[in-house]
Amino acid sequence: MSKISEFLTINNKRIEILQKGKNGSPIIILTGMGCSFDEWYYVVESLSKSNRVVMFHRPGLGESEIRNEVRSTQAVVNEINELMLLLGIFEPVLLVGHSYGGLCAQHFVKEHPKKVAGLVLVDSTSVEFKVLDELDTPVLNEGSTDEIWVEKCGFYSLMNQDKLREIINPILTNKQKQLPIDVQKRLINFQINPSLYKAMQSEISNWKQDAETIKNLGEFPNTPLIVIGRDREHNIRVGTEDGLPESELRLLEDKWQELIMNQVKLSRNSKLILAQEASHSIHLDRPDIIIESIRWLTNNSLFN
């Protein structure tokens, strides 16, 4: 990608964007919570050969400015609208959302159905995700409840980069290490930005209410939809290899897959794909599946 950052002013803030490709139907990709658009390198490189691909770092992520603001899915919906206007995108887009980005995508398509020609949810957070809190998974929950993460993110947001580097000791996953060196460096720096944790603190504080808001927006439009879910057995196997209890992992993965499969029911024009050998980071583990799914949607008669 050899990205040179571009910036737009959205809501009086400097927002970092990535644009690649000039032809074909526009594709907007929304990243997960605490995730950089640089992780989508291979997806963007491939799709940009035939389509205009746009991504942006939400306020606090990367080099995007954040102030004392509420970070919510509604805020993201407003930012997408402004982004499309500033970039001159007036035709319906193909919207892709991963994890928390998928929750934002569901909000956007409900508020602005005519602006979305097709939707791809990549292991997306469900509007019913609070049921995960009801699972009997004490080992998995240790140190990872919303309350603990809000406190931890607040703590990190007050530090400088050097202190964060010392405490977090940022490392890359094996798949991230396969990305170009300049991308790897940006991913390391991404993790030691105090603003990242300020954004995450607010997003986590609001996402359960966001889910309720999205549910209350009414019926989901009959938008062409592809739902991509992770490999349940693969994640259980990896988790047990890391010493986590298989019984708890199975409870979590069974419920997560149930929530993913329920998302297929959002639209009558839908398709489910379970990505073999993929973790939650499907865009890193199986970028080929995401690329093929998006191309299928762009070539499908329902999209055109």
Side-chain angles (χ1 to χ4, degrees), residues 62-276:
E63 295 184 51
S64 292
E65 291 180 334
I66 188 170
R67 295 175 186 154
N68 294 323
E69 60 197 76
V70 174
R71 294 305 308 158
S72 65
T73 56
Q74 182 65 66
V76 179
V77 168
N78 297 342
E79 287 153 3
I80 297 170
N81 264 327
E82 186 70 13
L83 178 75
M84 291 175 66
L85 180 64
L86 290 172
L87 293 179
I89 299 175
F90 302 113
E91 63 185 288
V93 302
L94 196 152
L95 189 60
V96 182
H98 171 241
S99 194
Y100 175 76
L103 193 65
C104 298
Q106 292 173 66
H107 193 154
F108 187 86
V109 76
K110 273 194 164 188
E111 274 201 13
H112 304 284
K114 293 183 179 179
K115 294 186 178 183
V116 181
L119 178 64
V120 180
L121 297 177
V122 183
D123 218 37
S124 170
T125 303
S126 165
V127 292
E128 304 289 351
F129 78 96
K130 69 179 182 181
V131 300
L132 298 172
D133 292 342
E134 300 168 7
L135 299 177
D136 184 18
T137 53
V139 176
L140 298 185
N141 288 342
E142 188 175 349
S144 64
T145 64
D146 281 5
E147 293 74 20
I148 290 173
W149 269 108
V150 166
E151 182 179 354
K152 186 183 296 185
C153 288
F155 181 61
Y156 290 162
S157 71
L158 301 175
M159 297 181 177
N160 60 36
Q161 287 192 339
D162 291 337
K163 190 64 176 177
L164 276 174
R165 188 186 300 274
E166 178 185 334
I167 290 180
I168 295 174
N169 186 28
I171 58 173
L172 301 178
T173 66
N174 289 332
K175 288 297 172 69
Q176 288 173 330
K177 290 177 182 176
Q178 296 174 22
L179 297 168
I181 295 298
D182 61 327
V183 174
Q184 292 184 41
K185 289 178 179 177
R186 288 199 296 271
L187 288 174
I188 288 290
N189 289 331
F190 185 90
Q191 298 177 56
I192 56 171
N193 178 2
S195 294
L196 167 66
Y197 301 99
K198 182 175 182 178
M200 288 177 62
Q201 181 184 33
S202 186
E203 289 175 348
I204 296 169
S205 297
N206 292 295
W207 66 344
K208 284 192 173 74
Q209 181 55 54
D210 289 339
E212 294 302 314
T213 298
I214 295 166
K215 284 195 289 184
N216 291 332
L217 286 174
E219 290 297 314
F220 200 92
N222 196 34
T223 303
L225 167 67
I226 294 182
V227 176
I228 305 175
R230 67 192 186 220
D231 185 333
R232 173 176 56 186
E233 296 303 320
H234 169 77
N235 281 274
I236 293 171
R237 184 170 64 251
V238 170
T240 53
E241 289 172 357
D242 288 339
L244 298 171
E246 182 179 349
S247 59
E248 291 191 20
L249 287 164
R250 193 162 295 280
L251 273 176
L252 173 62
E253 291 300 324
D254 284 351
K255 180 57 70 173
W256 183 269
Q257 188 166 102
E258 178 186 322
L259 294 174
I260 290 295
M261 295 180 77
N262 284 343
Q263 290 173 9
V264 183
K265 303 173 186 176
L266 291 172
S267 171
R268 293 189 300 277
N269 292 328
S270 62
K271 179 179 178 181
L272 172 67
I273 299 173
L274 297 178
Q276 298 300 305

